[in-house]
Amino acid sequence: MPALGVNIDHVATIRQARRTIEPDPVWAAALAELGGADGITIHLREDRRHIIDRDVRALKESVQVKLNLEMAAEEEIIGIALETKPGQCTLVPEKREEITTEGGLDVVGQKDRLGDAIRRLQQAGIEVSLFVDPVADQINASHELGADAIELHTGAYAEAKTPEAVDREFESLVAAAQTTCDAGLVLHMGHGLTYRNVSRVAAIPGICEFNIGHSIVARAVLVGLERAVREMKSLVQ
Ligand code: PXP
């Protein structure tokens, strides 16, 4: 059954809105674990708009399940990852002006840079996942570089506006999932998934992990984090 990684960035977003000390992502991670989270996911962005360096260190100490650090393959952030050694790093593209991660990595076009980051992180005992669009060339390039896993970007599926477009994007995910499994890579899925759209994706065979954030934290504001995580976990499984 697929694991659920709960992305708690937006707990830190609320804290940073006032540059205060609450709510603490460490507390959120504990509640997510009580709700059944199999992993805690955080994105240390270069502009530190939500998760800050202290959170990475504190969560590494407190989290009992897998800690997954999403990050750009930039020198400063790679240094922090090598120092704190989360269980997994998910490499993502990052643009300063974007509201959230906008697309998958161009693995084909950045083989040297990404290959070097993958090697250094793996040598420190960290598993490396690459966040890519559901495109065979990007998946095969990830395999060539020795990534442990890939996370298929589900954003286009989540944002599709018509039933036909949803079906088209869903079929791309099905095909890309098959390519990923055929290449022997561990299959993750994430971005834009909600309580309404996740079940269809969860039925695709071979998925090992989902990473879901915004929708869970949005529901948590109303029903509490433990319950929000429990409800999402039952849907992904
Ligand atoms: N996976 C990756 C690689 C991401 O960058 C994000 C957003 O930080 C997520 C999953 C979670 O996306 P969402 O918040 O839309 O569930």
Side-chain angles (χ1 to χ4, degrees), residues 7 9 43 70 90 92 100-101 131 151 190-193 211-214:
N7 181 313
D9 288 348
H43 185 174
E70 292 176 2
T90 300
V92 300
T100 181
T101 312
F131 183 56
E151 181 171 326
H191 211 283
L193 294 171
N211 284 297
I212 305 177
H214 181 89

